[in-house]
Amino acid sequence: MAAKTLTIDGQMVGAAEDQTILEAARDAGIHIPTLCHLEGVQDVGACRLCLVEVTGINKLLPACVTKVTEGWEVRTSSERLQRYRRMVLELLFAERNHVCAVCVANGHCELQNLAVSLGMDHVRFDYQHPRLDVDLSHRLFGMDHNRCVLCTRCVRTCWYIEGAGTLNVAGRGEKSKIITDLNAPWGDSTTCTSCGKCVMACPTGALFYRGVTVAEMERDRGHLEYIVTAREKKQWIV
Amino acid sequence: MVLEELVQIKEQELASRKKFTLRCCLAAGCVSSNAQAVKDALDRAVKEAGLEKEVEVRGVGCMRLCCEGPLVAVDPAEVLFEKVAPADCDALVATLKGVPSQLKRGDLTAPFFKHQLSIVLENCGLVDPDRIESYIAADGYLALRNVLREMTPQEVVQLVTRSGLRGRGGAGYPTGLKWATVAKTTSSRKFVICNADEGDPGAFMDRSVLESDPHRVIEGMIIAAYAVGADQGFIYVRAEYPLAIQRLQTAIRQAKQYGLLGSGVFESPFNFNIEIRIGAGAFVCGEETALMASIEGRRGQPRPRPPFPAESGLWGHPTLINNVETFANIPPIALKGAEWFAGIGTERSKGTKVFALAGKITNTGLIEVPMGTPLRTIVEEMGGGAPEGGQIKAVQTGGPSGGCIPASQLDTPVDYESLAKLGSIMGSGGMIVMDQTTNMVDVARFFMEFCMDESCGKCVPCRAGTVQMHHLLRKVMDRKATSRDLAKLEELCDMVKNTSLCGLGQTAPNPVLSTLRYFRNEYLELLQPAPKQPAAVAPATGIF
């Protein structure tokens, strides 16, 4: 396989010819922020965080889906790119109801981490405050549309890694929504294998394991009684 | 089908012509003002007057001046009757015998007709769109026969390249170059797609062509397929055009019956089939990658390019995708030559362009003019200016992707580069005229609302950015915005334009940018004074 040489942020980088800019940068230790990209699933170039500048090309190129070209000069973090990235995050935060303090993913959230690392410390746009549902019909998992960034990582994971094809996108524009089957409650899905891969793929707290969210903790008091009774009376409560 | 048969059909058709022909427009505009009843009444009136042997009543396509419909033209007298009602038909037929009438007559020498140069529309209003024989009588399918019998595919591509034809869908990509790219790919399967998903508000050019002369588009597609080596074609037409769909279906069936589609076109070794795919109402499906996803049965969403459709299109195969009007230009180029076509228009924009005139203008309808015609000629002379003594304030071209051109720039020639320089685009050909009563901020808001509703939701800048821009524009309209909001709006325009995935998002800010450029005062007049003391430290408005 032919190799390509290019510069990324002034650094000479060698890459295999079918590599993307994102992969070449990663191999060279250069970090490009991403959100909709997930190792192992097909890229869609939707979040626009990984846009980079290439000398001589007018348009910004998404690093995750753009193949390297010999001799390119790529810039991954110009002032302009950083400003656009912060705006992407501002738009995402304003779009739905992201309330970190009460979110299951607080401290483990890619959206939150991106805001911190890219310096998005406040949102200048008016919050949309949409009224959205939470689907708790599935036995093991929950889906909170308030926290969804529509990156479709779950959808692609469901189709291309699990092969179940349960998740999909319905509606368009701001009304886009992740659905299960043909917009039936998740718990009624006949195709979901309950594998949980979508939950692993989700960058935010939109998909979560049930039983570990705020106010969901239940104590098994009976267990203490079981032990004490067994010790003292040699009786094992069935 | 061979040449002799084609000539025979033409001669038979011409021989069956009667002394008079009454051409009654049956395209969507006139049909919506009751033209079908007019046609029926004409049939009856001719019968009752006992003139069946002398008069043919022919349902035809668009005769351009839609605002005066239903239209009936009389051959060979060269008279155009306007706003014909079914009750007028007896009087109309009587005029053939020399009986004077009070019916409203159009002036065919008026600038609206005089300045037109019909290439794409040359058969529109003349041929019966439901009869292939009518098209053949107008030398239809002769170009296809000549191409298949006398030219190699490479020669066809060279012909189109030499003609200088550029894509009529809006972006103006050189058609010959696109064909050459697809022709050069080596693939066992290739596809040709006709993009008939015309969705710009106020645009009805492609609709009229499909309803008036469907065979022309089909012939153009077959020639394209021969040139690039495709054996399957699709016409992607929106469901909102039921009449166009119906006429295309009829045309495809007739072309198959005559051996012009299917196996062995014109008894040559070349095979080509066309299927119709009907859009389900998403504007974004006019974007080529979304359109192809929709044909494949997937969600109609654009994907990043490259790979371009010419390299990897439908089901991964090389695909040629052109607009209705582009295909309609092909048969005359093949018949009359590239040099003839290249002699029309400007240095870099060749041929003619069809425009749909709408809005605050006296003559609404369809016009076809050479590239480079000044906007002023189109809207003031042909269009007759704003009605009721109004003043033209701006002309909007290119739909939600285009911009508003102020009246002060009306002397601009209409071609791809000149319009781009003004911050608008040629677009597919919708031309909406605005007069002094139009609020330009509201125009920008209208188009932003359109983009917001039609955004597919895939990429963040378009999905969420259009919502915020629309919100800010509404705030300006409600007189609640400050200069800071205006700055935010401009920043968003820049960001959405540069970061969106597809053309819809990349061009969504254009109506805002162009109105800000030429009508900034209208925005400023609506602004609230900014708070005197800006907070020293920006408070964290977020709750994340």
Side-chain angles (χ1 to χ4, degrees), chain B residues 493-536:
Chain B
C493 284
D494 169 65
M495 183 261 187
V496 174
K497 189 184 171 96
N498 287 306
T499 60
S500 291
L501 192 156
C502 83
L504 194 157
Q506 287 161 8
T507 58
N510 281 355
V512 184
L513 289 170
S514 70
T515 49
L516 272 170
R517 180 168 163 188
Y518 297 113
F519 302 96
R520 199 179 183 88
N521 263 341
E522 295 194 24
Y523 283 82
L524 298 180
E525 279 163 15
L526 291 167
L527 291 189
Q528 283 287 311
K532 279 196 185 115
Q533 285 261 300

Side-chain angles (χ1 to χ4, degrees), chain A residues 126-138:
Chain A
D126 288 349
Y127 283 90
Q128 299 300 300
H129 296 304
R131 298 185 70 89
L132 298 167
D133 298 333
V134 181
D135 186 343
L136 290 174
S137 59
H138 194 280

Side-chain angles (χ1 to χ4, degrees), chain A residues 13-120:
Chain A
V13 170
E17 69 174 342
D18 63 342
Q19 274 194 310
T20 62
I21 297 177
L22 185 66
E23 289 164 340
R26 182 200 56 206
D27 291 351
I30 297 166
H31 175 73
I32 300 175
T34 57
L35 180 60
C36 67
H37 168 78
L38 182 66
E39 288 298 326
V41 291
Q42 180 187 328
D43 278 308
V44 288
C47 73
R48 316 310 278 172
L49 282 173
C50 72
L51 288 178
V52 294
E53 295 171 342
V54 176
T55 303
I57 293 178
N58 258 338
K59 283 189 172 175
L60 302 176
L61 301 176
C64 64
V65 292
T66 307
K67 298 266 190 279
V68 292
T69 298
E70 181 69 32
W72 263 4
E73 284 176 34
V74 180
R75 284 176 305 283
T76 70
S77 57
S78 68
E79 186 278 323
R80 172 179 173 230
L81 289 173
Q82 292 187 36
R83 183 160 45 85
Y84 286 161
R85 284 174 190 153
R86 280 195 297 273
M87 285 177 83
V88 166
L89 294 176
E90 282 181 85
L91 289 173
L92 283 174
F93 273 105
E95 185 178 35
R96 295 205 170 177
N97 305 308
H98 297 280
V99 188
C100 300
V102 295
C103 180
V104 283
N106 193 7
H108 308 279
C109 171
E110 289 185 33
L111 183 65
Q112 193 181 38
N113 292 346
L114 281 163
V116 173
S117 62
L118 296 177
M120 192 221 76

Side-chain angles (χ1 to χ4, degrees), chain B residues 164-202:
Chain B
L165 176 66
R166 293 169 66 176
R168 297 294 194 244
Y173 190 80
T175 306
L177 188 57
K178 202 185 242 184
W179 287 29
T181 313
V182 181
K184 278 185 183 150
T185 56
T186 50
S187 170
S188 55
R189 284 221 82 173
K190 293 181 191 176
F191 295 101
V192 168
I193 299 175
C194 173
N195 184 347
D197 194 48
E198 179 177 58
D200 289 358

